[in-house]
Amino acid sequence: MRPHSTDPSDPSDLSVRTADAVARLKERAPQVLDAFLALAGAFEATGLDPHSRETVILTVATRNQCRLCVDMHEAKLAALGPAPAPERLDALRAFTLRVLASSGAVDDAEVDALLAHGYTRRNALEVVLGIGAYTLSTFANRMVRAA
C-alpha cells in the first residue's frame, strides 16, 4: 500500500489513493468492483438528498474503519456546503447505526423517529441499500489493503 499524506483533504493524494483502490479491486475481483458500482449507482438514484446519502456513506465507512472512504466522503460532504438541517442528518446517522446494529431489525419507534425528521418509509429502505453498497466497498477496500 502506498503511504498517503496526513492531509485527508489533499485532492491529489485522495485521487491517487482512490485510483489505487479501484486498480486493486479490478485486478483481484472485477465482479466485486462491478457490483459495487451498480449498487452505488442505484443508491445515488434514491430519493435521499445528497447530504443524506453522504451521511449514510460516512456512517458506514466510519463504522467499518475504511479511512479511504471516510476521507473521500468527508470531502464530498464538505463540497456540498453546510447541511440545511443538521439535526435531520443526526437522526439519519442514528437510524443507520441502529439498522447496522440490529441487522435491519429496527422497531417501529426507530422508524417513527426517522419519519419525524421528514424521511419516508421508502427512505428507510434506501438506507439499507446504502449500507449494502458501502459495506461491500469498505470490506473490499480493507481486504485489498486500500483502506
Side-chain angles (χ1 to χ4, degrees):
M1 186 163 105
R2 293 180 192 160
H4 57 83
S5 92
T6 57
D7 182 5
S9 65
D10 178 358
S12 62
D13 177 61
L14 192 53
S15 295
V16 169
R17 291 168 56 210
T18 302
D20 182 56
V22 170
R24 288 172 187 238
L25 284 173
K26 188 173 184 176
E27 175 188 335
R28 297 177 191 177
Q31 299 86 351
V32 172
L33 178 60
D34 291 346
F36 165 68
L37 293 172
L39 287 169
F43 185 58
E44 286 297 313
T46 65
L48 292 168
D49 64 89
H51 281 94
S52 295
R53 288 193 308 269
E54 291 302 324
T55 296
V56 171
I57 296 166
L58 271 169
T59 302
V60 173
T62 300
R63 179 187 180 271
N64 292 343
Q65 301 176 351
C66 181
R67 193 71 237 162
L68 172 62
C69 296
V70 170
D71 292 348
M72 182 185 315
H73 291 284
E74 280 180 347
K76 285 185 175 186
L77 191 58
L80 291 174
E87 66 283 349
R88 186 170 188 256
L89 298 180
D90 290 341
L92 181 62
R93 185 176 301 104
F95 181 76
T96 302
L97 287 170
R98 189 62 199 128
V99 170
L100 285 161
S102 68
S103 300
V106 292
D107 62 33
D108 290 341
E110 291 164 322
V111 174
D112 290 344
L114 182 70
L115 300 179
H117 285 88
Y119 292 102
T120 66
R121 292 188 184 281
R122 179 180 179 148
N123 294 149
L125 288 169
E126 292 169 340
V127 168
V128 174
L129 175 57
I131 289 170
Y134 287 90
T135 296
L136 173 62
S137 174
T138 57
F139 284 16
N141 283 339
R142 294 192 74 195
M143 287 185 75
V144 300
R145 307 298 186 250

